[in-house]
Amino acid sequence: MQYSYTPSLTSSKSVLFALLILLSSSIAFAQHGGLRGRVTSSDGEPAAYVSVMLVELNKATITSEEGAFMFRNVPAGDYTLQATCIGFNALEQTVRVFHGKTVMHDFSLVKKDQRIGEVVVTGKQTLNEKPLSVGKVPIKPMDLPQSVTVIGGEVLERQQTQVLSEVLQNVNGVYLSGTTGGTQEEISGRGFAFSSSNTFKNGSRYNNSVMPEMTSLERVEVMKGSNAILFGNVAAGGVLNLVTKKPRFENGGEVSMRVGSYDYYKPSLDVYGAINNSEKVAYRLNTTYLNSGSFRDGVTAERFYINPSLLVKAGDKTDILLEGDYLKDSRTPDYGVGAINYQIAQVPRNTFLGVSFAENNVEQKSAMATITHRLNQHWEIRSTNSFQNYEANQISTTRPTGFIKAKDGSYNGDLVRGLQRTATNEKYYLTQLDITGKFRTGFMEHTLLVGGDADRYDTRTPAFISIAAYDTINIYNADKYEQRSNIPSFGRRTYDTKTLTNRFGVYVQDLISLSEKWKVLAGMRYSAIDVEGEGNTVVKGTDTRTTSSSYDYAFSPRAGIVFQPTSNMSLFASYANSFTPNTGTDIYNNPLDPSIIDQYEVGMKNELFNGLLSANLTLYQIKNSAFPQIALFTADGTSNTNTNIRELAGEITSKGVEVDLMSKSINGLSFIGGYSYNDTRYTKSNIYYENDRLRYNPAHTANASVYYTFQNARLSGLNLGLSSFYAGERLAGRNTRLTVANDVYRLIALPDYVLFDAHVGYSIQRLSLRLKMTNLLDKFTYNGHDDNSINPIAPRQFMATIAYKL
């Protein structure tokens, strides 16, 4: 097996240039008579779901979320174009269509003077009106006994989001918990880390060891709490689903250029339409290229991404959606400023402690096919099959732990740098079948989901010999030692580590409407996981082959009740459990049982002021009563020193409260905000002190974003925004161990912080300009992901995006 990588992305630029040519040709192939355009409101915002009609032909369509519409195969002549939408004055205009051409016709609608008191409202789906595709069955959030959030494309565009953590600043209870060497973001929710098993793209698991590309996303879906019934062994805090942009039959798209501080350059292209004016086949193509520096000296990033998709209407009842993406990401690994004796090293924010040749290279490819067949208006079958290949190769310094201690116990900043090389190749396969339907039994209405899934991970990890002492530097004085720059040869272990994981699950879930006010959600999943591993251990230079095998199964129930005293209020309570497979063996050398995690959730969802404001409150408790820890004694009663021998003696309890707020646009003003409190502790332990907090989880987070779009004609198209995010005190370092005398492990308190970002946008017809200033107050604090990996957050930065709608 070859673990090689070419970091240069010069060829990617050629591909992007070819795609620009494709853009030109895609506009040119509309050779039949047609009419297309974009509808906006008087404030320059896209007017979605507007009914547009060619009166003489009695031909109508509905605008997309971007306000786009299109008519194909229109005979040459003059027509009356009529547009109607609730909340807007009807509009009629005369248009002329020419033979062999597609006519472009944009127009704006004027809002009616519809008022509630003195308030003019622009209608869009609220927080409690957006069903989640990751839920597998379309259930309105008001009917769901669970906290959910959807962050749509409008917010992503306004905030010019670059990384996932920026999106999640709008979601309470889900947060950035670490940055893992600057090459990925570690996300957690309600006190539990989201691994790749908790991160999905279009409903299929996604390896989150690389930062996902945000320009391709249509929305981000978050289902908090237990989701084991839908996905098996997912972490207790919730799941994320990244939904990419889908093909459309109206021709359109966008070309943009984004620039920012520290040599940040990012051109992007998004083009979609019907192939050859077909009403059966549509396509979409997203692609982008990034080249960027960093506020950290010597740290750079370069990536190329492309996301093609194809929608085929194979019949009146069958849709076939084919999606793929390719990501090539190269960036400098950066393990931060380090901690000396569990105290953060006080060096300038830009100080980089790594070597000049460090690089982390990732190549990720995926393909997905979704077939949806509607049996009738009530029943549907959906089949999903996907494949993902993830390959990573890194050369970097080890975490900055080798600080030299003087005889008097002091430290002068001398650091012995070690080197490491790592590589991973992972192949992931998924097949899934869901049947959904609605029916009645007597007075009860049912929304049924029955399904099954099977997936497989094939992971290969070669073993390399690390270099414990490569050179010595001083973190306070770069000139004290001459730094080495040659790339050494890393020895290779004899064997690769191989892990083959097979998972299988079947599930059934039913939402039962007992009346207009009472609903019950109940279901059950059976999951089985088989893990086969091969590896090697090294003793005195000799490789010894080892194998391991485990098989786990679990039943994951879910039950919830919803009471809706009014159409605008929903009260709910639910119970669910999830499970986590464990590695290692018990004291009798048997595979360790999985941990079962119980979750309780109660809450209230409100649509206040006739739906102008969504206001939700959720309280939860999550308890893992069988958390694995190192066994204190072996089967014969002697003290245990083997970390692979474990017992389910620990208990972790997470509890908290979340408040979510989201408004519609009121006189051009809209708001997103909320607050969360989380307390995650070891409530039982044979290793750590009881009631010790777990690392990386802020006790308090809060967010607030306000946007205003000017309503008068002179400032039409101008909008302003201010967003803020607060993260409370967190802990890094390591929890002190009871079982080790004079334990040196300590926790590091990371200070709380507030970030403010400012946004300005201006649109005129198809052209738009967006400006963004992040960290307005230039706040200086850190994120931590290991005892000595402490990364400073970015300083104040500027970003601008110019875009043209096609």
Side-chain angles (χ1 to χ4, degrees), residues 613 661-665 669-674 703-707:
L613 177 67
L661 303 171
M662 184 179 293
S663 79
K664 291 184 177 180
S665 178
L669 188 69
S670 60
F671 173 80
I672 301 175
N703 69 285
S705 297
V706 180
Y707 297 97

Side-chain angles (χ1 to χ4, degrees), residues 4 58 97 100 252 317 329 369 488 579 667 678 681 694 709 763 771:
S4 61
N58 196 29
V97 177
K317 296 183 178 181
D329 184 279
F579 75 101
N667 285 334
N678 173 263
R681 297 179 183 272
L694 268 68
T709 301
S763 300
L771 307 176

Side-chain angles (χ1 to χ4, degrees), residues 616-637:
N616 299 344
L617 172 68
T618 307
L619 294 89
Y620 61 86
Q621 177 177 284
I622 305 171
K623 182 170 290 189
N624 182 353
S625 300
F627 183 71
Q629 298 187 328
I630 299 172
L632 298 182
F633 302 97
T634 62
D636 60 7

